Amino acid sequence: QKEVEQDPGPLSVPEGAIVSLNCTYSNSAFQYFMWYRQYSRKGPELLMYTYSSGNKEDGRFTAQVDKSSKYISLFIRDSQPSDSATYLCAMIGSGSARQLTFGSGTQLTVLP
Amino acid sequence: NAGVTQTPKFQVLKTGQSMTLQCAQDMNHNSMYWYRQDPGMGLRLIYYSASEGTTDKGEVPNGYNVSRLNKREFSLRLESAAPSQTSVYFCASSERRQLITNTGELFFGEGSRLTVL
């Protein structure tokens, strides 16, 4: 079983929709949670970073962490065609502070 | 500002051939990483270098070797390529040795697409 599970999609939504992307994990040592965005044929780039449980908002993006359920989410409001990309969750545990563990990524397409 | 530069961007090899992927960063970062990305598998760490002069194995190191040539450059070598090494390879760097002190931010190159026949 993978430490981090992510629905690969693909997910296709109309412009303006609210998008929910999710990851589950099994390692309770994970303390720091990130979302990376990867455009086609490009390297990933950091989108959001959260520590422990709770919500963090940045513009149209909200990252949510529920450590009791080992579940993290990324919400995109008023989605735009420019949001079309693959979204990867990533995590670090305090015992592995030099390595990120990535989910497999969810491919999102926002249709104009 | 170039960031992280990888060469070559594309390569086709025959089974048993060797090659080296080059990576250079111009951000004065301490740590550098090599990942491979395969469909359904996400990004998997091959090797990393927390600082100049040190290298450590990641999740999938077999069949690879690395060299941290200096603070800027980190190369990945395939000594005898196999079809299972067909993948997209990403080099990344981070400012600090401990990722948790750095908001977990890695800066990635654009990838090197390798096909082994």
Side-chain angles (χ1 to χ4, degrees):
Chain A
Q1 183 186 3
K2 294 180 186 177
E3 280 191 299
V4 180
E5 298 280 356
Q6 186 173 5
D7 186 338
L11 182 61
S12 184
V13 301
E15 184 175 353
I18 296 174
V19 177
S20 172
L21 304 169
N22 311 295
C23 287
T24 59
Y25 63 95
S26 57
N27 188 345
S28 57
F30 287 137
Q31 300 277 352
Y32 303 84
F33 305 91
M34 288 130 281
W35 287 94
Y36 278 78
R37 178 174 61 194
Q38 184 177 19
Y39 291 114
S40 179
R41 298 199 169 269
K42 298 291 186 182
E45 55 182 356
L46 182 66
L47 185 62
M48 297 281 287
Y49 165 85
T50 55
Y51 168 67
S52 198
S53 287
N55 291 356
K56 183 175 182 179
E57 190 172 316
D58 184 1
R60 297 183 294 108
F61 298 89
T62 299
Q64 190 174 80
V65 174
D66 182 349
K67 290 192 69 180
S68 62
S69 301
K70 297 190 178 66
Y71 190 87
I72 70 170
S73 300
L74 177 70
F75 298 96
I76 307 174
R77 293 184 299 279
D78 187 24
S79 56
Q80 302 295 309
S82 59
D83 295 327
S84 298
T86 296
Y87 291 81
L88 302 106
C89 61
M91 309 176 186
I92 314 174
S94 57
S96 58
R98 295 181 178 179
Q99 298 186 33
L100 292 181
T101 301
F102 283 89
S104 56
T106 299
Q107 184 180 346
L108 171 68
T109 300
V110 181
L111 302 170
Chain B
N1 191 345
V4 178
T5 302
Q6 293 182 230
T7 56
K9 290 190 175 358
F10 301 93
Q11 184 73 49
V12 178
L13 291 177
K14 294 181 179 178
T15 297
Q17 288 185 318
S18 62
M19 76 159 299
T20 299
L21 299 177
Q22 307 285 355
C23 175
Q25 52 90 9
D26 62 2
M27 297 172 283
N28 200 35
H29 283 176
N30 286 293
S31 300
M32 298 185 73
Y33 308 79
W34 276 106
Y35 286 88
R36 60 178 289 174
Q37 187 173 38
D38 303 290
M41 301 295 292
L43 285 159
R44 292 182 292 169
L45 183 64
I46 304 171
Y47 271 93
Y48 67 100
S49 171
S51 60
E52 186 178 353
T54 68
T55 60
D56 287 285
K57 294 178 180 179
E59 182 184 354
V60 288
N62 291 345
Y64 304 95
N65 286 301
V66 291
S67 296
R68 183 74 182 267
L69 304 170
N70 47 55
K71 192 172 185 180
R72 290 187 64 248
E73 299 172 289
F74 189 39
S75 63
L76 178 72
R77 182 160 178 85
L78 287 71
E79 290 291 352
S80 179
S84 60
Q85 294 178 305
T86 293
S87 187
V88 181
Y89 292 85
F90 286 98
C91 178
S93 69
S94 69
E95 183 180 2
R96 299 185 186 180
R97 297 178 182 86
Q98 298 290 342
L99 286 174
I100 60 174
T101 66
N102 198 39
T103 69
E105 185 164 20
L106 298 180
F107 292 83
F108 285 84
E110 294 201 340
S112 298
R113 286 157 179 78
L114 175 66
T115 301
V116 183
L117 302 174

